[in-house]
Amino acid sequence: MATMNIQATLHTIGLFDGADAGFFDSMAAKARVIEAEKGQILFIHEDKAESFYLITRGWIKLFRETLDGAQAVVDILTTGHLFGETSLFQDDLYPYSAEAAEASQIIALPLSVLKEEIEKNPKLALTMLSAMARYRKQQDQELEHRILQNAPQRIGCFLLRLADQNKSGPVTIHLPYDKTLVASRLGMQPETFSRALGKLKDATGITVKGATIEMDSLEQLSQYSCMACSSEFPCKDLKSAKSV
Amino acid sequence: MATMNIQATLHTIGLFDGADAGFFDSMAAKARVIEAEKGQILFIHEDKAESFYLITRGWIKLFRETLDGAQAVVDILTTGHLFGETSLFQDDLYPYSAEAAEASQIIALPLSVLKEEIEKNPKLALTMLSAMARYRKQQDQELEHRILQNAPQRIGCFLLRLADQNKSGPVTIHLPYDKTLVASRLGMQPETFSRALGKLKDATGITVKGATIEMDSLEQLSQYSCMACSSEFPCKDLKSAKSV
DNA sequence: CGAGGGTTTGAAGTGCATCAAATAGTGTGG
DNA sequence: CCACACTATTTGATGCACTTCAAACCCTCG
């Protein structure tokens, strides 16, 4: 798909529901498709923000770095997710850095056009508010998990959110990216991840084969992980917070 | 001030800039002043949200609790701060519990009136968006601090945000509430707080006497704490995020 | 003065990080 | 199809930071 239909892609973004045709026109006109190779940096924390991004293929890692070199992974997003759009209300500076975790395709879109549309279209402003609220809830949850859950519990919680939580009976889950990256996403070292996954296996009876994890039912996991969380088990809504 | 002027108080809230007179009227008409004693619970996580709150005196602790009893303090707010207002876009459920950390006075305001106003007044929606974005940045920062800063650094960072960061020369800081509460706010045990404050003293040369902390200049602290943070030293904007 | 909360100090335990090294997996060129 | 190179993952040993449990200390206030 060398020449993808950008307009059609833009119409799939929930955030843009209720925007008018002119908006999609100028958005598409100024859109820029980027083929990013693994490790490519898209922007750096506190860069001046002129674009926001839609992922159309691959995985993008959002992170921050301290003066002394430590790194905190904010999130790892894939196809259909937006990022960088909240800079609109944030001094126009990116609140994190973005790097392609693998070869990826993304579309850069102008923040200016989005800003205009939000200012003149109340519907969009409301949609954006909901999106921000959802994102906020997600962040709250993330913070809580880092504080209250130990390493094995965080892994269990991560797996639960990869699965269809309404399904009962046997479940198979595939890790979406390599274990080192999952570890960083969960705020732990690869070695800790490996050992913690072992503990989780012992504690819940799940089966681990490479990147594939199987269990008789999700309950094994939820009982173990959700114990140390303030939300009750089906917490699916957190995962589906796309395009925020 | 047994009979405070609620309307006047409402006009001081930045979030309401640009709302019309009718809004303030119905807001004030349905407002309810609450005298909360220390330890009083205002609402519980996932309660149905019908009000949001403005603090007019005292300190309010926002927190979540897990099934197994552990507690994560989200924030501790004082006079002039709003809380509970983002439930508007969140299934109408409170995202945390709220408790008076000491005897406090707060005003309960109807979410319904705010919702109506936001839907018909684009200006308010935009203000709310900015507020949410600011809050989000604050949360991002919080998460990062918990991950990348150790206990003494987190205390140093907390002190920096209590001070006027533009001031050079000697500085005196008073802890706003008791040390146990500060500890929980920073996600550590009281014992850890005590020992970490000792380490901070040794490392930076600050002077600690009870709840009073003195130093020759803020630089001593910023050098020590901001090393493990992705933001540069004057990070004042985070503290001033009132009324979000 | 004495009770009770807040604060500090000591001793021991836990969880995760770090450093080091072995092992498993994957893609490459021969 | 095999051997090599390189990376991902696991395992072991050790250290540090924070927690936990216990007890002392301090300060305020009745």
Side-chain angles (χ1 to χ4, degrees):
Chain A
M1 86 179 201
T3 58
M4 72 163 89
N5 186 334
I6 291 188
Q7 281 249 3
T9 307
L10 295 185
H11 276 280
T12 66
I13 301 178
L15 180 59
F16 297 164
D17 284 356
D20 60 35
F23 168 76
F24 285 102
D25 287 342
S26 34
M27 209 39 122
K30 295 190 185 166
R32 192 162 39 90
V33 177
I34 298 174
E35 293 288 345
E37 55 193 55
K38 177 170 179 172
Q40 186 174 328
I41 302 288
L42 300 172
F43 55 76
I44 298 277
H45 177 214
E46 290 184 341
D47 271 2
K48 182 93 178 119
E50 282 164 3
S51 303
F52 65 108
Y53 300 86
L54 170 66
I55 308 174
T56 49
R57 176 166 41 77
W59 289 90
I60 305 294
K61 178 174 83 169
L62 308 181
F63 64 100
R64 294 150 162 255
E65 255 168 356
T66 64
L67 290 176
D68 56 10
Q71 192 179 83
V73 174
V74 175
D75 210 346
I76 295 174
L77 305 176
T78 188
T79 308
H81 288 254
L82 286 180
F83 61 96
E85 82 288 4
T86 49
S87 310
L88 256 194
F89 305 94
Q90 210 75 89
D91 324 318
D92 290 332
L93 300 178
Y94 290 116
Y96 39 63
S97 307
E99 175 191 328
E102 61 174 64
S104 305
Q105 185 187 57
I106 60 184
I107 304 180
L109 299 162
L111 278 169
S112 57
V113 176
L114 179 60
K115 182 162 197 171
E116 278 170 31
E117 185 71 13
I118 285 177
E119 278 166 2
K120 77 181 185 203
N121 183 340
K123 173 131 194 268
L124 207 59
L126 290 178
T127 310
M128 187 96 187
L129 266 173
S130 296
M132 297 272 301
R134 197 166 51 240
Y135 181 87
R136 173 179 164 170
K137 186 169 183 179
Q138 216 177 328
Q139 283 299 94
D140 282 352
Q141 185 91 216
E142 191 70 32
L143 180 58
E144 181 190 310
H145 287 167
R146 297 280 180 116
I147 298 171
L148 298 175
Q149 294 185 325
N150 61 23
Q153 285 169 332
R154 284 212 299 283
I155 296 176
C157 181
F158 180 78
L159 294 177
L160 282 172
R161 283 178 287 164
L162 286 175
D164 174 359
Q165 298 192 353
N166 297 315
K167 192 181 171 196
S168 58
V171 176
T172 301
I173 299 170
H174 290 272
L175 294 178
Y177 30 78
D178 71 50
K179 291 182 177 177
T180 305
L181 200 53
V182 176
S184 72
R185 167 71 182 74
L186 297 176
M188 60 186 85
Q189 298 309 118
E191 297 94 327
T192 301
F193 180 85
S194 175
R195 288 186 253 256
L197 188 54
K199 276 190 200 168
L200 184 66
K201 202 173 56 171
D202 293 346
T204 64
I206 62 174
T207 309
V208 180
K209 244 181 270 162
T212 305
I213 290 154
E214 296 181 21
M215 67 201 74
D216 297 335
S217 89
L218 288 176
E219 208 187 326
Q220 298 167 71
L221 277 186
S222 66
Q223 203 138 67
Y224 181 80
S225 289
C226 301
M227 165 115 296
C229 181
S230 68
S231 304
E232 314 257 313
F233 164 52
C235 50
K236 178 90 178 181
D237 50 316
L238 290 176
K239 189 203 159 194
S240 57
K242 281 193 181 183
S243 306
V244 178
Chain B
M1 81 179 202
T3 58
M4 70 162 84
N5 184 334
I6 290 188
Q7 281 250 3
T9 307
L10 295 185
H11 276 282
T12 66
I13 301 178
L15 180 60
F16 297 164
D17 284 356
D20 60 35
F23 167 76
F24 286 102
D25 286 344
S26 33
M27 209 40 123
K30 296 189 186 166
R32 193 162 38 91
V33 176
I34 299 174
E35 293 287 345
E37 57 193 52
K38 177 170 179 171
Q40 186 174 328
I41 302 287
L42 301 172
F43 54 77
I44 298 277
H45 177 214
E46 290 184 341
D47 271 2
K48 181 94 178 119
E50 280 163 6
S51 302
F52 64 108
Y53 301 86
L54 170 66
I55 307 174
T56 50
R57 176 168 40 78
W59 289 91
I60 305 294
K61 178 174 84 170
L62 308 181
F63 65 100
R64 293 150 163 255
E65 256 168 355
T66 64
L67 291 175
D68 56 11
Q71 191 179 85
V73 173
V74 176
D75 210 347
I76 295 172
L77 305 176
T78 187
T79 309
H81 287 254
L82 287 181
F83 62 96
E85 81 287 6
T86 50
S87 310
L88 257 194
F89 305 94
Q90 211 75 90
D91 323 319
D92 290 330
L93 300 178
Y94 290 115
Y96 37 63
S97 306
E99 174 190 329
E102 60 174 66
S104 306
Q105 185 187 59
I106 59 183
I107 305 179
L109 299 162
L111 277 170
S112 57
V113 176
L114 180 59
K115 181 163 198 169
E116 278 169 30
E117 185 70 13
I118 285 178
E119 278 166 1
K120 76 181 187 202
N121 184 341
K123 174 132 194 269
L124 207 58
L126 290 178
T127 310
M128 187 96 186
L129 266 173
S130 296
M132 298 272 299
R134 197 166 51 240
Y135 180 88
R136 172 178 163 172
K137 186 170 183 177
Q138 216 178 328
Q139 284 297 94
D140 282 353
Q141 186 90 216
E142 192 70 31
L143 181 57
E144 182 191 309
H145 286 167
R146 297 280 179 114
I147 297 172
L148 299 175
Q149 294 185 324
N150 61 24
Q153 285 169 332
R154 285 212 298 284
I155 296 176
C157 182
F158 180 79
L159 294 176
L160 283 172
R161 283 179 286 165
L162 286 175
D164 174 359
Q165 298 192 353
N166 298 314
K167 192 181 171 197
S168 57
V171 177
T172 301
I173 299 169
H174 290 272
L175 294 178
Y177 30 79
D178 71 50
K179 291 182 178 178
T180 305
L181 200 53
V182 176
S184 71
R185 167 69 182 74
L186 297 176
M188 61 186 85
Q189 300 308 118
E191 296 95 326
T192 301
F193 179 86
S194 176
R195 289 186 252 255
L197 188 54
K199 277 190 199 168
L200 185 67
K201 202 173 57 170
D202 293 345
T204 64
I206 63 174
T207 310
V208 180
K209 243 182 272 162
T212 305
I213 290 154
E214 295 180 20
M215 68 202 75
D216 297 335
S217 89
L218 288 176
E219 208 187 326
Q220 299 165 70
L221 277 186
S222 66
Q223 203 138 68
Y224 181 80
S225 288
C226 302
M227 165 116 297
C229 180
S230 69
S231 305
E232 314 256 313
F233 164 51
C235 50
K236 179 87 177 183
D237 51 314
L238 290 176
K239 189 203 158 192
S240 56
K242 280 194 185 185
S243 305
V244 178

